[in-house]
């Protein structure tokens, strides 16, 4: 891909700094906002000098892990969405297309219905395992026969595995009302009730997925011009696709395991990133990992404000925000072409 002019690179870099500033701002608002009203000046002071008071415990034990997890999950969803669209060269692709979301959901269904697991921390391991099994099944199904696992075959295999897992999940839940009652709280997608233990548990998966994704960016740029051109430029097409699929599984699996399915973030954010930064995957990835947590944390804060004294779950708010935004993007044809 041609090298961008220095002025363009400087402008994109400035845009990244502005986006980073927006992320810092929305993170501070997330720590400040909640059912218990704490003045912003007091919140800022308690961030740096915890004093063991009730307000300090609220800030550090409840709002801080929720905010950190929102950033982590947003980063994972944004990157996995950008990576999925680059891998399949399909502008309508989202992280759930490889069966990752339904795999994670199936793991949670098994945990609740057959293992008696009843805590978010317990769900995480089963959700991660379910996402991994589903991803492996999709890849094996998509690479069966003599042909390689092309993007089209992976999408078809993902749709087939998703349909089977969907039927399994609801077949189990419809015969177990108690399991259904627990599962419906997880599947709506929420940052509430998550603490540092879940943050630390999913952090390694997200970090590894991010490293793999950024290392693949130059190869995905080459593959964007077609498989033959990619091979001519020295890209190992099969290895690139396998590693990209593994990165999507790690990122989307960890995010879904931690907070439940969150819709539209991984689908919409890469389009916004490409509108700002162009088609170079290195810039698209960089913008996606900053824009996605801004959207997710902003939705979580908005849900807390609109639902006070309760809250509206982040997964519901992102759907309301993401759907019209995605429709607007689709109406601008040039934004959805890869």
């Amino acid at each position: 891909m041609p090298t961008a002019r220095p002025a363009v690179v400087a402008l994109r870099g400035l845009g990244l700094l502005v986006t980073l500033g927006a992320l810092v701002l929305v993170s501070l608002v997330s720590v400040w906002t909640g059912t218990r009203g704490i003045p912003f000046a007091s919140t800022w002071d308690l961030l740096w000098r915890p004093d063991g008071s009730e307000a300090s415990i609220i800030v550090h034990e409840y709002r801080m892990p929720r905010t950190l997890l929102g950033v982590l999950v947003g980063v994972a969803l944004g990157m996995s969405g950008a990576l999925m669209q680059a891998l399949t060269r399909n502008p309508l692709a989202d992280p759930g297309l490889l069966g990752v979301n339904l795999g994670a959901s199936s793991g949670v269904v098994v945990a609740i219905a057959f293992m008696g697991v009843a805590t978010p921390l317990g769900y995480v391991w089963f959700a991660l395992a379910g996402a991994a099994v589903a991803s492996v099944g999709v890849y094996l199904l998509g690479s069966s026969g003599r042909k390689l696992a092309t993007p089209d075959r992976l999408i078809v295999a993902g749709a087939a595995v998703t349909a089977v897992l969907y039927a399994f999940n609801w077949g189990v839940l419809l015969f177990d009302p108690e399991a259904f009652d627990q599962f419906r709280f997880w599947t709506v997608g929420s940052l509430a009730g998550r603490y540092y233990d879940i943050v630390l548990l999913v952090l390694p998966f997200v970090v590894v997925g991010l490293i793999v994704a950024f290392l693949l960016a130059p190869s995905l740029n080459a593959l964007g011009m077609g498989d033959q051109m990619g091979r001519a430029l020295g890209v190992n097409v099969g290895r690139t696709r396998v590693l990209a699929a593994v990165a999507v599984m790690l990122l989307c699996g960890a995010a879904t395991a931690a907070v439940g399915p969150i819709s539209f973030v991984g689908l919409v954010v890469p389009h916004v990133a490409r509108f700002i930064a162009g088609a170079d995957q290195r810039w698209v990835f960089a913008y996606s990992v900053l824009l996605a947590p801004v959207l997710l944390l902003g939705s979580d804060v908005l849900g807390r404000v609109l639902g006070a004294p309760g809250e509206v779950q982040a997964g519901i708010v992102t759907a309301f925000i993401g759907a019209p935004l995605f429709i607007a993007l689709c109406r601008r044809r040039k934004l959805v072409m890869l």
Side-chain angles (χ1 to χ4, degrees), residues 31-72:
V31 174
W32 172 43
T33 306
T35 304
R36 166 73 181 274
I38 304 174
F40 183 80
S42 300
T43 302
W44 177 261
D45 187 60
L46 290 171
L47 274 177
W48 307 107
R49 289 187 292 273
D51 57 12
S53 63
E54 182 181 0
S56 178
I57 292 173
I58 290 173
V59 168
H60 284 274
E61 299 299 326
Y62 294 94
R63 297 182 184 175
M64 277 292 292
R66 180 173 185 157
T67 301
L68 290 174
L69 186 61
V71 172
L72 195 63

Side-chain angles (χ1 to χ4, degrees), residues 151-328:
D152 292 342
R153 288 169 63 88
L154 288 175
I155 291 173
V156 172
V161 170
T162 295
V164 171
L165 293 177
Y166 185 85
F168 167 78
N169 289 350
W170 289 105
V172 172
L173 294 173
L174 287 176
F175 287 98
D176 191 338
E178 293 184 5
F180 173 78
D181 195 49
Q182 292 185 50
F183 178 76
R184 66 189 178 92
F185 287 105
W186 178 85
T187 196
V188 75
S190 175
L191 297 175
R194 272 67 171 180
Y195 305 106
Y196 286 113
D197 48 6
I198 293 182
V199 174
L200 295 175
L201 181 59
V202 301
L203 179 61
F205 297 96
V206 175
V207 170
V208 173
L210 285 176
I211 292 173
V212 173
F214 275 111
L215 290 176
L216 291 176
S219 298
L220 291 171
N221 277 335
L223 289 180
M225 296 181 283
D227 288 359
Q228 291 185 347
M229 181 62 72
R231 291 190 181 94
L233 294 173
V235 176
N236 187 321
V237 177
R239 183 177 64 187
T240 299
R241 285 183 179 146
V242 170
L243 291 176
V246 169
V248 170
M249 185 272 291
L250 290 173
L251 292 165
C252 184
T256 306
V259 301
I262 300 288
S263 61
F264 282 103
V265 175
L267 180 62
V268 172
V269 165
H271 287 275
V272 179
R274 278 190 293 274
F275 174 67
I276 297 172
D280 190 336
Q281 298 299 339
R282 295 170 296 182
W283 288 102
V284 172
F285 287 177
Y287 271 96
S288 294
V289 299
L290 294 178
L291 289 169
V294 171
L295 174 59
L296 181 57
L297 274 182
S299 299
D300 186 49
V301 170
L302 185 60
R304 282 183 259 173
V305 172
L306 294 177
E311 67 176 75
V312 180
Q313 282 76 13
I316 297 175
V317 180
T318 57
F320 274 103
I321 294 176
L325 178 59
F326 185 65
I327 292 172

